[in-house]
């Protein structure tokens, strides 16, 4: 039965005019896959146009495509070998139509990348190779086409093979095969070629049959994004597609990012004898729960022990298709699984030249370019790193009304914020203080509060903090410094330097500082605290008593000071993920005070902080 | 999951996306094998319900069997049914070949219907394997106020993130069966036991492989009298599905012109 046969989707990509459509047409002809009269029909069309027979017309169906002899939009066509069924996706090679190439390629399980033997490796050959890799299409076979134009030269073939293998290797792709072919003459389409006895590898058809059909990710951790909630009758049904893992009746599901749990009561279905007891990756299902949680489209259900990441900031490798360039600061709509969120590009970390893989610093990503960026959302998101889960680790960006780009997610250098926002203790009640802040204010002569210093290593945080403490103490303030290195000896001795531990380090300092501020102290903290989300959490702990002070100096200035020799070590690669060098520093966008230490002396810096405290902490 | 399960799951996903993201949606029901599968898949997606209107743009030139089938299943499937009429052929573009000109009535009928009943999204049961310009379609295919298809500049569509943001005045054609083949349709019809019109089964050595208007649709030679026999025939046939649809064969660009203007 053909419904039990495997089906594999393969995309043909490569530079414009390298003969993709012709090769596909030839493949169909030589495997006898065309309906009666189709070749005759194409022959007539070509005669009418006064041109030689073109297999490309099989898929280049639009008049504009035929008139210009170029593929404009992606197309799909079906064929079969003795082994299995295929959906062949033809993708345009012209740079103008990259959005159509992406549309075609993103649907594929495997790819054939076509290179013209005469022209050799071209711009779109490399870009398409790069994009296949970015989209997670790991199975690639390279066809060096039009071998008839180079007299079936083994030397020519090997030169192209060597050049392109080197390129693919540098982006982490290993082609299954590199095959010399001729679409026009029909060499190595279904079997060996007499004109290329020196080639001993498989033909295209054999290479296709060698691709693997990807299995649904049933063994991975469960990801069930909520697509909709239905109430057509007495059932309240949570509808969605299981992207990975398995759901069983009775399972406890954790919904992120709302962090609520409920048990699966039923898995619903229509036109079945019996409701299923389990459902797995790839299935579109509807479930009911034992509790009426407030669940919305976009939430992701998982099992409790293997939840997705929760964060409002992440890194992404993006390709951009929009007419207007991608720019930092502008708001875009992000769609990730079934969630939508307003996001801004916080920084463009580097733009990648897909030709030579060099990196360029730029303040924008132009159409058809590829870049690494940092993206921030206004709301907490549930997501995965792409390397862990492709379906929940990728997203598209909408600019105005248009899908303008896509990207894959990395959390490199950023912490999972789930552990930081989960309240573990449940049976805790706050005790009301008997002594209010006004009484403490009156006795001390000033309010309590947190002076949260943030800035690069070497900006002068500790130096200014200690000098400020002395200055304020001498003026009669109750003041105390919490310093980065010191708390790590005691309070945070159990923490290391992973992104999660660093975030936890800052969380604890924020909580302690808030308590001391409530006790009436002015607390000065001196931590790099590079992430906005960490500082926002410290601000939330202290409320109105929080004062963010940006100790500001650029990387070059800090590096020239380098009091602890850390920059030198970071440059030498001895310290990984060093802020400002190999990990991000997210400068405050609305600090209460900025002290620019590349301009000001230590004394002047301290004077500015001291004046700010006089201004702010002594009013009643 | 087998091949049909995967197709079904993808169609269900498409239905649910459109129903959630677009405002008012409705489904075109041509009464043929494909749109019956489409209704079936909607009931799968919405757990037994079809939560939007089902519309038949009537050329009034269909086979009597098709009208009987329609009236019966409106009741049995509990459909919210709407009907639209098509203008006379004299009002159609005279530069079109005769059969295409006749088919264009349906495009105009649909436009008139949409003018009277504004929808944000219309489900249509076209498939990529039917016809080479349909092979280039998007799952969510935006149309301007006139219903025209801007095939030269279609939006990107990938990772099942469909286009759901449109300027006012746009409607979108949604194609839940785009990834199915004719063979898939019959295998699924058989597996799910979905009713079909008898015209698809051979009588006196002829059967209809694709149903349209009486005057521009011809039966093909066939002895397939059952679902099993149709499936067996498709396994070996070398005749294309729409060979009996006159409008496809009149001129090289006839179908493209119809579609650019808003034909399904």
């Amino acid at each position: 039965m053909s419904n039990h046969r495997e089906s594999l989707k393969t995309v043909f990509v490569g530079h414009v005019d390298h003969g993709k459509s012709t090769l596909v047409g030839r493949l169909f002809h030589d495997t006898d896959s065309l309906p009666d009269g189709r070749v005759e029909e194409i022959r007539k069309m070509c005669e009418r146009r006064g041109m030689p027979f073109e297999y490309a017309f099989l898929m280049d169906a639009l008049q504009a495509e035929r008139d210009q002899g170029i593929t404009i939009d992606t197309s799909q066509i079906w064929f079969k070998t003795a082994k299995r069924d295929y959906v062949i996706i033809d993708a345009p090679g012209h740079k103008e139509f990259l959005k159509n190439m992406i549309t075609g390629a993103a649907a594929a399980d495997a790819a054939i990348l076509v290179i013209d033997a005469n022209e050799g490796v071209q711009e779109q050959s490399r870009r398409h190779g790069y994009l296949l890799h970015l989209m997670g299409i790991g199975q690639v076979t390279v066809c060096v086409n039009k071998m008839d134009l180079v007299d079936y030269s083994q030397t020519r073939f090997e030169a192209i093979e060597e050049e392109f293998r080197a390129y693919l290797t540098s982006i982490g792709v290993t082609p299954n095969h590199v095959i010399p072919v001729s679409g026009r003459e029909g060499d190595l389409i279904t079997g060996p070629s007499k004109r290329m006895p020196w080639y001993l590898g498989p033909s295209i058809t054999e290479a296709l049959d060698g691709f693997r059909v990807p299995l649904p990710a049933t063994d991975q951790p469960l990801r069930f994004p909520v697509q909709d909630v239905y109430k057509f009758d007495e059932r309240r049904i949570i509808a969605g597609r299981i992207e990975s893992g398995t759901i069983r009746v009775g399972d406890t599901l954790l919904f992120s990012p709302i962090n609520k749990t409920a048990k699966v009561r039923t898995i619903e279905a229509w036109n079945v004898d019996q409701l299923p007891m389990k459902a797995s990756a790839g299935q579109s299902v509807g479930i009911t729960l034992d509790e009426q949680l407030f669940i919305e489209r976009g939430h992701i259900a998982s099992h409790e022990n293997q939840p997705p990441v929760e964060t409002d900031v992440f890194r992404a490798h993006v390709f951009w298709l929009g007419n207007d360039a991608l720019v930092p600061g502008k708001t875009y709509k992000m769609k990730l699984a079934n969630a939508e969120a307003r996001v801004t590009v916080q920084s463009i970390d580097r733009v990648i030249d897909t030709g030579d893989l060099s990196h360029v610093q730029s303040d924008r990503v132009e159409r058809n370019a590829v870049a690494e960026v940092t993206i921030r959302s206004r709301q907490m998101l549930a997501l995965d790193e792409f390397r862990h889960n492709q379906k929940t680790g990728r997203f598209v960006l909408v600019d105005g009304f248009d899908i303008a780009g896509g990207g894959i997610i990395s959390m490199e250098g950023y912490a999972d914020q789930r552990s930081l926002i989960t309240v573990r203790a449940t049976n805790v009640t706050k005790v009301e203080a008997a002594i209010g802040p006004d009484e403490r204010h009156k006795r001390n002569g000033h309010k309590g509060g947190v002076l949260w210093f943030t800035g690069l290593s070497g900006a002068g945080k500790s130096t200014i903090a200690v000098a400020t403490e002395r200055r304020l103490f001498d003026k009669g303030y109750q003041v105390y410094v919490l310093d980065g290195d010191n708390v790590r000896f005691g309070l945070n001795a159990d923490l290391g330097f992973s992104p999660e531990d660093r975030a936890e380090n800052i969380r604890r300092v924020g909580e302690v500082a808030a308590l001391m501020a409530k006790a009436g102290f002015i607390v000065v903290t001196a931590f790099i605290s590079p992430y906005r989300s960490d500082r926002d959490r410290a601000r939330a702990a202290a409320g109105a008593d929080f004062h963010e002070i940006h100790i500001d100096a650029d990387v070059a200035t800090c590096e020239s000071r380098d009091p602890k020799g850390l920059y030198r070590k970071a440059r030498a690669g001895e310290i990984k993920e060093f802020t400002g060098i190999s990990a991000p520093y997210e400068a405050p966008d609305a600090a209460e005070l900025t002290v620019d230490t590349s301009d000001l002396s230590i004394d002047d810096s301290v004077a500015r902080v001291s004046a700010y405290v006089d201004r702010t902490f002594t009013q009643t | 999951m087998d091949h049909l399960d995967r197709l079904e799951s993808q169609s269900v996903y498409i239905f649910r996306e459109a129903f959630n993201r677009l405002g008012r949606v409705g489904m075109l029901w041509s009464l043929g094998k494909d749109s019956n599968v489409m209704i079936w898949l909607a009931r799968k997606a919405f757990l037994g319900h079809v939560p939007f209107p089902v519309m038949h743009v009537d050329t009034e030139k269909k086979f009597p069997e098709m009208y009987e089938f329609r009236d019966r299943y409106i009741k049995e499937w509990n459909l919210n049914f709407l009907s639209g009429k098509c203008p006379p052929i004299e009002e159609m573009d005279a530069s079109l070949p005769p059969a295409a000109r006749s088919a264009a009535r349906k495009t105009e009928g649909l436009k008139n219907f949409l003018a009277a009943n504004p929808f944000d999204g219309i489900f249509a049961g076209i498939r990529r394997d039917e016809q080479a310009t349909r092979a280039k379609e998007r799952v969510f295919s935006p149309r301007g106020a006139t219903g025209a298809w801007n095939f030269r500049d279609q939006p990107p569509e990938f990772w099942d993130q469909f286009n759901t943001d449109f300027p006012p005045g746009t409607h979108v054609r949604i194609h839940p069966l785009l990834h199915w083949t004719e063979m898939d349709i019959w295998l699924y019809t058989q597996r799910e036991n979905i009713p079909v019109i008898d015209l698809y089964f051979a009588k006196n050595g002829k059967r209809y492989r694709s149903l349209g208007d009486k005057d521009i649709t011809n039966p093909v030679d066939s002895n397939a009298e059952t679902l099993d026999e149709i499936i067996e025939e498709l396994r070996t046939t070398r005749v294309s599905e729409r060979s009996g649809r006159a409008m496809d064969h009149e001129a090289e660009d006839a179908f493209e012109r119809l579609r650019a203007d808003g034909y399904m």
Side-chain angles (χ1 to χ4, degrees), chain A residues 237-254:
Chain A
I237 294 172
I238 316 293
R241 181 169 61 195
I242 303 172
E243 298 295 6
S244 60
T246 299
I247 291 182
R248 289 182 175 77
V249 171
D251 279 3
T252 299
L253 298 185
L254 168 66

Side-chain angles (χ1 to χ4, degrees), chain A residues 36 48-49 63 65-66 73 99-100 227 233 241 282 284-285 297 333 335 337-338 340, chain B residues 9-10 13 16-17 21 49 128 136 138 153-154 157 160-162 164-165 181 238 252 256:
Chain A
D36 280 350
R48 264 202 305 278
R49 287 184 155 76
Q63 293 300 304
E65 293 179 314
R66 290 176 177 175
D73 212 330
K99 67 182 166 75
N100 298 338
Q227 197 175 3
D233 43 42
R241 181 169 61 195
S284 288
V285 298
R297 177 181 163 92
K333 184 201 275 186
K335 296 176 160 195
N338 299 119
E340 289 188 357
Chain B
S9 177
Q10 180 67 11
Y13 189 84
R16 289 172 171 178
E17 280 302 279
R21 296 327 283 162
H49 304 265
R128 286 201 178 99
K136 293 188 181 272
R138 299 291 187 262
D153 189 21
Q154 297 196 77
E157 181 177 77
D160 285 347
Q161 296 292 0
F162 306 114
T164 54
D165 300 275
T181 64
R238 301 184 57 92
E252 181 188 336
E256 176 176 332

